[in-house]
Amino acid sequence: MEARRQPARIHRFRPALITQTDDALPEYMNLIGMICSMCALMLKIKWCAWIALFAAIVGFANARATEDTKQVLSSLMLSISAVVITYMQNPTPMTIPFFQ
Amino acid sequence: MRSSMTILFILFNLLSYFTWSVAKKMKDEDFSEFDDFDEDEFVVESPSSPSASQLPSKMQSKKPEVVNTDYSFQSPSSKSADIKVNDEVTIDDEDEDDDLMFDEEEFETSDGYSSSSPTTSTIPDLKITEIPASLTGNHWEAYHCEAIMLLLLLSYLINFLLGRSKNARLADIVYRSQRDLLERNFCLVGDNGQTRTTQSADDSTINDSTTNKMQKESESLYILWCSGRTAIESMLMEVRLAKRQCLFNSLAAMIKSSNDMLIYTADYSKEDMETFVFCLAKKHCAAKLHRDMNDLSQFCSERKTADKRGLNNGNYQILSEIGEVSSAIIDNRVVDFIEKYPDVLEYIHISDQYTGMKIQNDTQQTSPNTANTTSNAGSAAPQQDALNTSERSVRHVLIIAFNLVARNSRSLEITTETVCSDYLRFVLQLIDRVNSFRFTLKESKNKAIKNRQRIEEQFLKNVYQQRQEQAQQRREEKRRAEKEKIMQSDDPERQRKWEEKEHKREMKRRQPKMKQMKVKAM
């Protein structure tokens, strides 16, 4: 078995060799997070802010290690600020329009 | 990064508490003018103020609105009338001087009115308005939606931490159960491609046996790079686990089950492998691979059910370019492995024309390639440079995928620990088998060469077409830029000349190309 080892045939790892899968969930979550944050901030819709927060957290949980952490963090911060600002503008409880 | 996340969430909780306290204070300030009421304020001097104002309705919940305008119609006999409203508010008409205004002789009221005086037991028809709960005090139960959201958030975070640790534990078990066998077979075990020097097993330090050399690509994907062995250039081991860290994925997994997988991808050099494309896969997987994989769809025309010994139950299907490959690859060892571990082997994909999945192949075909043996899967390159080369970027690979499933009513961790080394042994055997296999029949070789030539011609045609389109686009843009430049310059002479030139060019293009024949003078 030891005869199998050959130092001469060592090749370095290249990230491009990882099997590509069509998993675009982090990107979708990022996009949904940003759109919902903007809607919440501009249109003062509370449930949008909460959805943005969830989307940011799901995107963070599914993020790849190679992705830019700044992107993930900024999405998270934006959604948190959307929630906080929406409640400061209007402290009344949230009403979900579909159920009323 | 992850620890900073937990700090951020604690900060977020503090911030949200601060927001609630500020909001409560603001609300309290807004409604502070309605907080304290003296009963005396309800005393309405009805003769002097016939148009008594209405009481504020936001005072207390369930207090009816008292409309005082009716007061002016009451009969003078009700001088000391008490209007009791829910036994909480009494309006006394104590000012007797006001009677001067309501002199009996001056005003005549009908008897019907006196019967309906407030001294009788009739209670006026009061409309109780519903006041939102949030405006009537500090009632946290009004915020039930927010509570549900926070609970969901908390449960997601807890699930994230638990799922992440379970995945990390599983990956660690896989690594530890295979480490010895890997280090006996490969010179380089574990490389991130970024450090200057590689750590070979000969230079192993004391800590090597405890450090996990696997690379974490995401919370559900761990990889290990191995190189420095005969027969192959490198082997990449991918531990693709279910996304336990995401609650929504876990819930979706209850509907559509997803397994933890262990995928080995061995890269050969051109000389190490015969030229064929072959795949043995489970039924559902075979259909998907045949549809998605470029090489399988180009070289393998049909899917056949594997009917050899041990594969009789019809679980597996074969996609093969050359007939003799199936019997050579699916030998006794493969059959024995499948019998020993049923449902574990997901697929075996062997190809010397591997270019990845169909969707990505659009970028791969236009990516630069220095040599056929080097791989360039998935790298993005400017299309301009790509069209300078006319070679496809193909890899010579052996890909084996295993399902990590719990067996014999044991837990997944224990099963993984016991069987992983068997999987690796099977992979190494197959690597050597593929390396040593050569075509016995001449027609197999000819068929393989013919197929590859066909695909190469198709590829070159596509590249040529793309190049033509690009050149045409460039020409159009150049002409457009020229036209703009001419139009912007105010010289009409130049414009006229340019337009003439364009017209001539257009006419020349429209005319069919005539071949000129030279006639020799006799």
mmCIF file with all atom_site columns, all heavy atoms in Angstrom, chain B residues 13 21 25 51 96 153 157 187 238 261 283 302 368 396 401 413:
data_model
loop_
_atom_site.group_PDB
_atom_site.id
_atom_site.type_symbol
_atom_site.label_atom_id
_atom_site.label_alt_id
_atom_site.label_comp_id
_atom_site.label_asym_id
_atom_site.label_entity_id
_atom_site.label_seq_id
_atom_site.pdbx_PDB_ins_code
_atom_site.Cartn_x
_atom_site.Cartn_y
_atom_site.Cartn_z
_atom_site.occupancy
_atom_site.B_iso_or_equiv
_atom_site.pdbx_formal_charge
_atom_site.auth_seq_id
_atom_site.auth_comp_id
_atom_site.auth_asym_id
_atom_site.auth_atom_id
_atom_site.pdbx_PDB_model_num
ATOM 1   N N   . ASN B 1 13  ? -31.468 41.951 20.701  1.00 0.00 ? 13  ASN B N   1
ATOM 2   C CA  . ASN B 1 13  ? -32.483 41.780 21.736  1.00 0.00 ? 13  ASN B CA  1
ATOM 3   C C   . ASN B 1 13  ? -32.508 42.991 22.652  1.00 0.00 ? 13  ASN B C   1
ATOM 4   O O   . ASN B 1 13  ? -33.582 43.480 23.022  1.00 0.00 ? 13  ASN B O   1
ATOM 5   C CB  . ASN B 1 13  ? -32.205 40.513 22.557  1.00 0.00 ? 13  ASN B CB  1
ATOM 6   C CG  . ASN B 1 13  ? -32.619 39.261 21.811  1.00 0.00 ? 13  ASN B CG  1
ATOM 7   O OD1 . ASN B 1 13  ? -33.547 39.300 21.019  1.00 0.00 ? 13  ASN B OD1 1
ATOM 8   N ND2 . ASN B 1 13  ? -31.932 38.172 22.035  1.00 0.00 ? 13  ASN B ND2 1
ATOM 9   N N   . SER B 1 21  ? -39.434 50.032 25.248  1.00 0.00 ? 21  SER B N   1
ATOM 10  C CA  . SER B 1 21  ? -39.581 50.954 26.383  1.00 0.00 ? 21  SER B CA  1
ATOM 11  C C   . SER B 1 21  ? -39.782 52.374 25.891  1.00 0.00 ? 21  SER B C   1
ATOM 12  O O   . SER B 1 21  ? -40.589 53.124 26.441  1.00 0.00 ? 21  SER B O   1
ATOM 13  C CB  . SER B 1 21  ? -38.383 50.847 27.303  1.00 0.00 ? 21  SER B CB  1
ATOM 14  O OG  . SER B 1 21  ? -37.217 51.191 26.615  1.00 0.00 ? 21  SER B OG  1
ATOM 15  N N   . LYS B 1 25  ? -43.113 54.644 26.490  1.00 0.00 ? 25  LYS B N   1
ATOM 16  C CA  . LYS B 1 25  ? -43.022 55.977 27.093  1.00 0.00 ? 25  LYS B CA  1
ATOM 17  C C   . LYS B 1 25  ? -43.731 57.005 26.218  1.00 0.00 ? 25  LYS B C   1
ATOM 18  O O   . LYS B 1 25  ? -44.493 57.840 26.697  1.00 0.00 ? 25  LYS B O   1
ATOM 19  C CB  . LYS B 1 25  ? -41.547 56.346 27.246  1.00 0.00 ? 25  LYS B CB  1
ATOM 20  C CG  . LYS B 1 25  ? -41.284 57.455 28.234  1.00 0.00 ? 25  LYS B CG  1
ATOM 21  C CD  . LYS B 1 25  ? -39.790 57.687 28.382  1.00 0.00 ? 25  LYS B CD  1
ATOM 22  C CE  . LYS B 1 25  ? -39.550 59.045 29.045  1.00 0.00 ? 25  LYS B CE  1
ATOM 23  N NZ  . LYS B 1 25  ? -38.134 59.385 29.005  1.00 0.00 ? 25  LYS B NZ  1
ATOM 24  N N   . SER B 1 51  ? -75.164 73.267 25.117  1.00 0.00 ? 51  SER B N   1
ATOM 25  C CA  . SER B 1 51  ? -74.364 72.475 24.165  1.00 0.00 ? 51  SER B CA  1
ATOM 26  C C   . SER B 1 51  ? -73.174 71.889 24.882  1.00 0.00 ? 51  SER B C   1
ATOM 27  O O   . SER B 1 51  ? -72.027 72.249 24.657  1.00 0.00 ? 51  SER B O   1
ATOM 28  C CB  . SER B 1 51  ? -73.899 73.377 23.018  1.00 0.00 ? 51  SER B CB  1
ATOM 29  O OG  . SER B 1 51  ? -73.174 74.476 23.573  1.00 0.00 ? 51  SER B OG  1
ATOM 30  N N   . GLU B 1 96  ? -79.341 75.292 41.115  1.00 0.00 ? 96  GLU B N   1
ATOM 31  C CA  . GLU B 1 96  ? -80.772 75.603 41.041  1.00 0.00 ? 96  GLU B CA  1
ATOM 32  C C   . GLU B 1 96  ? -81.028 76.967 40.420  1.00 0.00 ? 96  GLU B C   1
ATOM 33  O O   . GLU B 1 96  ? -82.129 77.284 39.999  1.00 0.00 ? 96  GLU B O   1
ATOM 34  C CB  . GLU B 1 96  ? -81.389 75.533 42.425  1.00 0.00 ? 96  GLU B CB  1
ATOM 35  C CG  . GLU B 1 96  ? -81.453 74.092 42.911  1.00 0.00 ? 96  GLU B CG  1
ATOM 36  C CD  . GLU B 1 96  ? -82.204 73.991 44.221  1.00 0.00 ? 96  GLU B CD  1
ATOM 37  O OE1 . GLU B 1 96  ? -82.413 75.032 44.865  1.00 0.00 ? 96  GLU B OE1 1
ATOM 38  O OE2 . GLU B 1 96  ? -82.554 72.881 44.579  1.00 0.00 ? 96  GLU B OE2 1
ATOM 39  N N   . LEU B 1 153 ? -38.014 32.992 15.477  1.00 0.00 ? 153 LEU B N   1
ATOM 40  C CA  . LEU B 1 153 ? -36.606 33.394 15.317  1.00 0.00 ? 153 LEU B CA  1
ATOM 41  C C   . LEU B 1 153 ? -35.720 32.620 16.283  1.00 0.00 ? 153 LEU B C   1
ATOM 42  O O   . LEU B 1 153 ? -34.663 32.087 15.908  1.00 0.00 ? 153 LEU B O   1
ATOM 43  C CB  . LEU B 1 153 ? -36.516 34.892 15.618  1.00 0.00 ? 153 LEU B CB  1
ATOM 44  C CG  . LEU B 1 153 ? -35.367 35.668 14.975  1.00 0.00 ? 153 LEU B CG  1
ATOM 45  C CD1 . LEU B 1 153 ? -35.553 35.682 13.485  1.00 0.00 ? 153 LEU B CD1 1
ATOM 46  C CD2 . LEU B 1 153 ? -35.365 37.083 15.495  1.00 0.00 ? 153 LEU B CD2 1
ATOM 47  N N   . LEU B 1 157 ? -32.765 29.910 15.481  1.00 0.00 ? 157 LEU B N   1
ATOM 48  C CA  . LEU B 1 157 ? -31.386 30.033 15.961  1.00 0.00 ? 157 LEU B CA  1
ATOM 49  C C   . LEU B 1 157 ? -30.941 28.787 16.708  1.00 0.00 ? 157 LEU B C   1
ATOM 50  O O   . LEU B 1 157 ? -29.815 28.311 16.527  1.00 0.00 ? 157 LEU B O   1
ATOM 51  C CB  . LEU B 1 157 ? -31.267 31.264 16.861  1.00 0.00 ? 157 LEU B CB  1
ATOM 52  C CG  . LEU B 1 157 ? -31.253 32.600 16.126  1.00 0.00 ? 157 LEU B CG  1
ATOM 53  C CD1 . LEU B 1 157 ? -31.344 33.731 17.117  1.00 0.00 ? 157 LEU B CD1 1
ATOM 54  C CD2 . LEU B 1 157 ? -30.029 32.751 15.260  1.00 0.00 ? 157 LEU B CD2 1
ATOM 55  N N   . CYS B 1 187 ? 0.270   11.101 -0.463  1.00 0.00 ? 187 CYS B N   1
ATOM 56  C CA  . CYS B 1 187 ? 1.315   11.900 0.165   1.00 0.00 ? 187 CYS B CA  1
ATOM 57  C C   . CYS B 1 187 ? 0.739   13.174 0.759   1.00 0.00 ? 187 CYS B C   1
ATOM 58  O O   . CYS B 1 187 ? 1.177   13.646 1.803   1.00 0.00 ? 187 CYS B O   1
ATOM 59  C CB  . CYS B 1 187 ? 2.370   12.289 -0.880  1.00 0.00 ? 187 CYS B CB  1
ATOM 60  S SG  . CYS B 1 187 ? 3.527   10.979 -1.169  1.00 0.00 ? 187 CYS B SG  1
ATOM 61  N N   . GLU B 1 238 ? -15.844 14.849 -0.857  1.00 0.00 ? 238 GLU B N   1
ATOM 62  C CA  . GLU B 1 238 ? -16.830 15.842 -0.440  1.00 0.00 ? 238 GLU B CA  1
ATOM 63  C C   . GLU B 1 238 ? -17.830 15.176 0.481   1.00 0.00 ? 238 GLU B C   1
ATOM 64  O O   . GLU B 1 238 ? -18.435 14.171 0.114   1.00 0.00 ? 238 GLU B O   1
ATOM 65  C CB  . GLU B 1 238 ? -17.585 16.400 -1.652  1.00 0.00 ? 238 GLU B CB  1
ATOM 66  C CG  . GLU B 1 238 ? -16.723 17.208 -2.590  1.00 0.00 ? 238 GLU B CG  1
ATOM 67  C CD  . GLU B 1 238 ? -17.439 17.524 -3.903  1.00 0.00 ? 238 GLU B CD  1
ATOM 68  O OE1 . GLU B 1 238 ? -18.056 16.601 -4.475  1.00 0.00 ? 238 GLU B OE1 1
ATOM 69  O OE2 . GLU B 1 238 ? -17.383 18.666 -4.342  1.00 0.00 ? 238 GLU B OE2 1
ATOM 70  N N   . MET B 1 261 ? -24.480 12.654 1.918   1.00 0.00 ? 261 MET B N   1
ATOM 71  C CA  . MET B 1 261 ? -23.750 11.941 0.870   1.00 0.00 ? 261 MET B CA  1
ATOM 72  C C   . MET B 1 261 ? -22.252 12.106 1.027   1.00 0.00 ? 261 MET B C   1
ATOM 73  O O   . MET B 1 261 ? -21.778 13.137 1.529   1.00 0.00 ? 261 MET B O   1
ATOM 74  C CB  . MET B 1 261 ? -24.170 12.450 -0.515  1.00 0.00 ? 261 MET B CB  1
ATOM 75  C CG  . MET B 1 261 ? -25.610 12.115 -0.818  1.00 0.00 ? 261 MET B CG  1
ATOM 76  S SD  . MET B 1 261 ? -26.036 12.367 -2.518  1.00 0.00 ? 261 MET B SD  1
ATOM 77  C CE  . MET B 1 261 ? -25.208 10.992 -3.262  1.00 0.00 ? 261 MET B CE  1
ATOM 78  N N   . LYS B 1 283 ? -32.059 4.240  -10.165 1.00 0.00 ? 283 LYS B N   1
ATOM 79  C CA  . LYS B 1 283 ? -33.027 4.612  -11.221 1.00 0.00 ? 283 LYS B CA  1
ATOM 80  C C   . LYS B 1 283 ? -33.309 6.105  -11.278 1.00 0.00 ? 283 LYS B C   1
ATOM 81  O O   . LYS B 1 283 ? -33.138 6.763  -12.311 1.00 0.00 ? 283 LYS B O   1
ATOM 82  C CB  . LYS B 1 283 ? -34.343 3.868  -10.972 1.00 0.00 ? 283 LYS B CB  1
ATOM 83  C CG  . LYS B 1 283 ? -34.653 2.848  -11.994 1.00 0.00 ? 283 LYS B CG  1
ATOM 84  C CD  . LYS B 1 283 ? -36.029 2.267  -11.767 1.00 0.00 ? 283 LYS B CD  1
ATOM 85  C CE  . LYS B 1 283 ? -36.239 1.122  -12.717 1.00 0.00 ? 283 LYS B CE  1
ATOM 86  N NZ  . LYS B 1 283 ? -37.336 0.264  -12.329 1.00 0.00 ? 283 LYS B NZ  1
ATOM 87  N N   . GLU B 1 302 ? -28.851 5.640  -24.416 1.00 0.00 ? 302 GLU B N   1
ATOM 88  C CA  . GLU B 1 302 ? -29.986 5.066  -23.697 1.00 0.00 ? 302 GLU B CA  1
ATOM 89  C C   . GLU B 1 302 ? -29.591 4.534  -22.327 1.00 0.00 ? 302 GLU B C   1
ATOM 90  O O   . GLU B 1 302 ? -28.419 4.285  -22.038 1.00 0.00 ? 302 GLU B O   1
ATOM 91  C CB  . GLU B 1 302 ? -30.605 3.944  -24.533 1.00 0.00 ? 302 GLU B CB  1
ATOM 92  C CG  . GLU B 1 302 ? -29.596 2.904  -24.937 1.00 0.00 ? 302 GLU B CG  1
ATOM 93  C CD  . GLU B 1 302 ? -30.233 1.764  -25.718 1.00 0.00 ? 302 GLU B CD  1
ATOM 94  O OE1 . GLU B 1 302 ? -31.454 1.796  -25.975 1.00 0.00 ? 302 GLU B OE1 1
ATOM 95  O OE2 . GLU B 1 302 ? -29.509 0.820  -26.044 1.00 0.00 ? 302 GLU B OE2 1
ATOM 96  N N   . PRO B 1 368 ? -11.035 29.624 -21.031 1.00 0.00 ? 368 PRO B N   1
ATOM 97  C CA  . PRO B 1 368 ? -9.743  29.297 -21.643 1.00 0.00 ? 368 PRO B CA  1
ATOM 98  C C   . PRO B 1 368 ? -9.204  27.977 -21.113 1.00 0.00 ? 368 PRO B C   1
ATOM 99  O O   . PRO B 1 368 ? -9.446  27.599 -19.993 1.00 0.00 ? 368 PRO B O   1
ATOM 100 C CB  . PRO B 1 368 ? -8.845  30.452 -21.215 1.00 0.00 ? 368 PRO B CB  1
ATOM 101 C CG  . PRO B 1 368 ? -9.483  31.016 -20.013 1.00 0.00 ? 368 PRO B CG  1
ATOM 102 C CD  . PRO B 1 368 ? -10.933 30.786 -20.144 1.00 0.00 ? 368 PRO B CD  1
ATOM 103 N N   . HIS B 1 396 ? -10.790 13.966 -16.927 1.00 0.00 ? 396 HIS B N   1
ATOM 104 C CA  . HIS B 1 396 ? -10.877 12.503 -16.892 1.00 0.00 ? 396 HIS B CA  1
ATOM 105 C C   . HIS B 1 396 ? -11.153 12.135 -15.437 1.00 0.00 ? 396 HIS B C   1
ATOM 106 O O   . HIS B 1 396 ? -10.265 12.265 -14.596 1.00 0.00 ? 396 HIS B O   1
ATOM 107 C CB  . HIS B 1 396 ? -9.559  11.873 -17.352 1.00 0.00 ? 396 HIS B CB  1
ATOM 108 C CG  . HIS B 1 396 ? -9.120  12.355 -18.703 1.00 0.00 ? 396 HIS B CG  1
ATOM 109 N ND1 . HIS B 1 396 ? -9.235  11.600 -19.856 1.00 0.00 ? 396 HIS B ND1 1
ATOM 110 C CD2 . HIS B 1 396 ? -8.594  13.530 -19.113 1.00 0.00 ? 396 HIS B CD2 1
ATOM 111 C CE1 . HIS B 1 396 ? -8.793  12.276 -20.890 1.00 0.00 ? 396 HIS B CE1 1
ATOM 112 N NE2 . HIS B 1 396 ? -8.399  13.453 -20.474 1.00 0.00 ? 396 HIS B NE2 1
ATOM 113 N N   . ALA B 1 401 ? -20.482 8.157  -5.585  1.00 0.00 ? 401 ALA B N   1
ATOM 114 C CA  . ALA B 1 401 ? -21.288 8.805  -4.545  1.00 0.00 ? 401 ALA B CA  1
ATOM 115 C C   . ALA B 1 401 ? -21.931 7.738  -3.667  1.00 0.00 ? 401 ALA B C   1
ATOM 116 O O   . ALA B 1 401 ? -22.553 6.797  -4.166  1.00 0.00 ? 401 ALA B O   1
ATOM 117 C CB  . ALA B 1 401 ? -22.365 9.678  -5.169  1.00 0.00 ? 401 ALA B CB  1
ATOM 118 N N   . GLU B 1 413 ? -24.191 8.263  13.432  1.00 0.00 ? 413 GLU B N   1
ATOM 119 C CA  . GLU B 1 413 ? -22.781 8.457  13.751  1.00 0.00 ? 413 GLU B CA  1
ATOM 120 C C   . GLU B 1 413 ? -22.046 7.129  13.869  1.00 0.00 ? 413 GLU B C   1
ATOM 121 O O   . GLU B 1 413 ? -20.944 6.953  13.347  1.00 0.00 ? 413 GLU B O   1
ATOM 122 C CB  . GLU B 1 413 ? -22.634 9.227  15.079  1.00 0.00 ? 413 GLU B CB  1
ATOM 123 C CG  . GLU B 1 413 ? -22.840 10.722 14.951  1.00 0.00 ? 413 GLU B CG  1
ATOM 124 C CD  . GLU B 1 413 ? -24.255 11.118 15.324  1.00 0.00 ? 413 GLU B CD  1
ATOM 125 O OE1 . GLU B 1 413 ? -25.158 10.270 15.188  1.00 0.00 ? 413 GLU B OE1 1
ATOM 126 O OE2 . GLU B 1 413 ? -24.462 12.257 15.755  1.00 0.00 ? 413 GLU B OE2 1
#
